[in-house]
Amino acid sequence: MDHEHYSKERSASLDLLLRFQRLLVSKLYPGDCAGQVPYTYSPDLLGVGSLLKKYTALLCTHIGDILPVATSIASASHRHFAEVSRVVDGDLTGILLPELVVSVVLLLSKNAGLMQEAGAIPLLAGLLEHLDRFDHLAPGKERDDNEDLAWPGIMGSFFTGQSCRNNEEVTLIRKADLENHNKDGGFWTVIDGKVYDIKDFQAQSLTGSSIL
């Protein structure tokens, strides 16, 4: 099936599940439990919480079955990972799970007591190991792990076939090369594993060489 057509067409059952999930979240949002005494909730509200737990359990069971298989296939090569990621992105894992996690965190911040009563959070926590194994297959993982502010969006260039380095050849500089260059009057410095020449900036700087 053509990829563009596949990405735009979503099954009716998946849309129905997404609407059902949003309905559950909206029923649990504080507007429906405002004014409740802590730890005492209406039977209707507890019923919705129980339904959310059952829904989450079924979703997590499906994802728990899918991800190990996806991880096994994706580990073959980067190309396999890209193809498997596209499939997973259109599955429950890529459509329902992200929104459910954000919704649960939001509900937890608004009404922690009710969410603890519902008991859906431990079910989601059980997926962390499966998700972590799959994520560790992503190209560039080592780079991302070294960046405190790394975002998943930086992987977009991999799937679109665009090089994040614009096909420029990367020159590797050894520590000894850097030291010798600086002894000869140069001013190279290393920031996050990349070498920068700040010689021109040194001449313009008012702070002095010691701070640089």
Side-chain angles (χ1 to χ4, degrees):
M1 185 180 295
D2 182 74
H3 174 65
E4 291 296 324
H5 175 72
Y6 177 75
S7 62
K8 292 177 182 177
E9 292 293 326
R10 198 160 60 202
S11 70
S13 58
L14 196 55
D15 276 332
L16 185 62
L17 283 173
L18 185 58
R19 291 173 64 186
F20 176 70
Q21 176 176 299
R22 290 172 176 174
L23 180 63
L24 288 176
V25 172
S26 68
K27 290 294 183 182
L28 290 171
Y29 201 70
D32 286 329
C33 58
Q36 294 275 359
V37 179
Y39 304 111
T40 60
Y41 303 103
S42 69
D44 288 347
L45 207 55
L46 291 175
V48 176
S50 177
L51 200 55
L52 176 65
K53 181 179 180 179
K54 292 179 181 178
Y55 168 82
T56 304
L58 290 171
L59 183 64
C60 290
T61 298
H62 170 80
I63 295 174
D65 291 339
I66 291 294
L67 279 180
V69 179
T71 301
S72 176
I73 299 173
S75 62
S77 69
H78 287 174
R79 182 177 179 181
H80 283 77
F81 177 83
E83 292 300 325
V84 170
S85 295
R86 289 191 183 99
V87 175
V88 170
D89 191 48
D91 186 58
L92 306 184
T93 310
I95 295 176
L96 299 182
L97 182 62
E99 187 171 314
L100 179 62
V101 170
V102 172
S103 299
V104 167
V105 171
L106 177 63
L107 290 171
L108 185 64
S109 68
K110 296 292 185 179
N111 198 330
L114 179 59
M115 291 308 296
Q116 289 173 358
E117 283 281 336
I121 297 175
L123 298 171
L124 289 170
L127 292 177
L128 289 176
E129 186 175 347
H130 293 304
L131 291 167
D132 194 51
R133 287 177 180 172
F134 184 78
D135 288 343
H136 271 68
L137 297 176
K141 171 192 68 78
E142 294 82 4
R143 177 193 60 200
D144 298 346
D145 285 347
N146 290 329
E147 295 182 14
D148 293 336
L149 296 178
W151 287 84
I154 65 175
M155 290 305 302
S157 61
F158 174 79
F159 296 115
T160 56
Q162 299 172 355
S163 173
C164 60
R165 293 173 179 170
N166 297 323
N167 295 322
E168 293 179 0
E169 184 177 349
V170 177
T171 303
L172 297 179
I173 299 176
R174 298 175 303 169
K175 184 178 180 181
D177 295 333
L178 183 141
E179 292 174 347
N180 290 333
H181 178 83
N182 288 348
K183 286 179 181 177
D184 294 337
F187 206 151
W188 286 355
T189 187
V190 181
I191 302 173
D192 293 335
K194 298 180 179 65
V195 177
Y196 295 88
D197 187 349
I198 57 174
K199 179 72 175 178
D200 293 339
F201 182 73
Q202 177 192 16
Q204 302 171 10
S205 174
L206 301 177
T207 60
S209 297
S210 58
I211 295 179
L212 291 178

